[in-house]
Amino acid sequence: MLRSLPKIDVATLIAFGCIVLLLLLGAVAKPGFLSVDYLGQQLQVAAFLGVIATGEMIVILMGQIDLSIPWTIGIGGMMATGASGILGNALGVPLAVPFGILCGALIGVVNGWGVAYLRAPSMIFTLGMNAVAQGLMVYHTGGFAPQDRATPLMIELASGQWIPGFSNPLLVWIALGAITVYILTRTVFGRQIYAIGNRERAVFLSGVDSRRVTLIAFAFSGACAAAGGVLLAGWANRSYQAMGDPYLLPTIAAIVLGGTNVLGGRGTYLGTVAGVILITLLQSILSVLQPQDYFASMGIKLPADVFRQVVFGLVIIVMMMLYGREKAMR
């Protein structure tokens, strides 16, 4: 029997409550923060993170993690912009977007194969794959992108509006989110993902090929990360080295803030949406308030990007402690 949509849990409600508080704080700190144009811009920025977080959430639901996101994003963007040089103009221009996403999916397949069939720890294997992807791209490009300009379709996907009032990245995120919600709540595959996160050994002994599920989940994560890279390259009208580096901690922080258990088995996509919006608003508030200036007055000098990384890291540590204790007590 098909399962009904999951109820909104406490963590998701807390995340939405924090969003409201940040909106009120932003309205006080910056005139025009609640304007339609500014909020629309924030949703467009959130869409890039949301697309990337979608695949990572599936992996985390299984009790795994994908740390190859930074350079999978880079591969997606750089291979999409360089597709015409690899495939030729006749094929490269129209196939740039799917080619970039396919390259990311291949990285995910390798990750899934290593974790599922070689039984390697996902944290170690995917971190190693991130380094391998970096090395391969540096070797392939000679340290720079030989053809780094986005195609017209990439630019349109990242900055256009096919529906007035809704940016195309937001539409992409909505479509991807709808597919993900359907998979997680209405398919056997989705139930298997949750079950593996709770107790993989029991799932395997029940006759489910948990290795195949893990492989598909990592391939999906790689494809989502590469899709985010394609959108980012279209937004900037170019691809560049290390374009995905700023997205690893915000992605994981958004997922755990939305209530997804970092040890697997529990979480909703609505919570991830709330977490993504919360992280995006938090980044905006930090840029407006410049709290690192306060610490600088006390002799603690932290650049803005470093301060954000510290905040995201603390969020992950706190949520890990909360979920770790909770799962240990069950």
Side-chain angles (χ1 to χ4, degrees), residues 12-315:
T12 303
L13 290 176
I14 292 175
F16 277 112
C18 291
I19 289 173
V20 174
L21 290 177
L22 286 179
L23 288 174
L24 294 177
L25 180 61
V28 173
K30 179 181 179 180
F33 190 87
L34 295 181
S35 67
V36 174
D37 290 340
Y38 187 79
L39 292 180
Q41 181 184 3
Q42 292 303 302
L43 283 176
Q44 183 173 11
V45 173
F48 299 129
L49 179 60
V51 169
I52 298 167
T54 299
E56 181 71 61
M57 177 199 172
I58 299 298
V59 172
I60 291 179
L61 279 175
M62 297 189 306
Q64 308 288 354
I65 195 166
D66 184 357
L67 297 182
S68 66
I69 282 179
W71 273 91
T72 305
I73 293 173
I75 281 181
M78 295 182 72
M79 296 305 282
T81 57
S84 59
I86 299 172
L87 303 176
N89 288 329
L91 291 175
V93 174
L95 295 181
V97 172
F99 182 67
I101 295 174
L102 176 61
C103 290
L106 291 177
I107 294 293
V109 168
V110 176
N111 283 330
W113 174 75
V115 173
Y117 291 91
L118 298 183
R119 310 303 296 174
S122 59
M123 181 179 295
I124 303 302
F125 194 91
T126 58
L127 186 62
M129 274 304 300
N130 187 67
V132 169
Q134 177 182 4
L136 290 176
M137 287 307 299
V138 171
Y139 173 77
H140 173 69
T141 61
F144 61 94
Q147 185 165 345
D148 61 355
R149 293 300 172 186
T151 65
L153 177 59
M154 292 171 63
I155 296 174
E156 180 68 17
L157 278 174
S159 57
Q161 287 189 0
W162 290 331
I163 299 178
F166 293 88
S167 64
N168 287 343
L170 183 59
L171 294 178
V172 172
W173 185 24
I174 292 173
L176 181 61
I179 294 171
T180 303
V181 169
Y182 179 83
I183 291 173
L184 291 177
T185 62
R186 302 289 180 175
T187 67
V188 173
F189 182 75
R191 291 193 289 272
Q192 290 172 345
I193 288 175
Y194 281 102
I196 290 173
N198 282 304
R199 186 162 296 182
E200 182 180 1
R201 184 179 296 273
V203 174
F204 181 77
L205 293 177
S206 68
V208 175
D209 189 354
S210 60
R211 296 176 300 179
R212 179 183 62 85
V213 176
T214 301
L215 180 66
I216 295 173
F218 273 97
F220 183 67
S221 177
C224 288
V230 171
L231 290 174
L232 288 170
W235 173 252
N237 195 19
R238 61 182 291 267
S239 61
Y240 50 92
Q241 296 283 342
M243 60 187 294
D245 283 354
Y247 282 89
L248 180 59
L249 277 180
T251 298
I252 299 174
I255 294 169
V256 298
L257 273 176
T260 297
N261 194 327
V262 289
L263 301 178
R266 195 186 73 184
T268 64
Y269 192 75
L270 180 61
T272 297
V273 171
V276 167
I277 296 175
L278 178 57
I279 287 295
T280 303
L281 289 177
L282 181 59
Q283 288 178 320
S284 180
I285 291 293
L286 291 176
S287 298
V288 171
L289 298 180
Q290 298 291 322
Q292 64 272 9
D293 293 342
Y294 171 76
F295 288 97
S297 65
M298 299 179 0
I300 304 174
K301 296 183 179 180
L302 289 174
D305 56 340
V306 174
F307 185 83
R308 285 194 295 269
Q309 297 296 316
V310 171
V311 172
F312 298 148
L314 289 175
V315 167

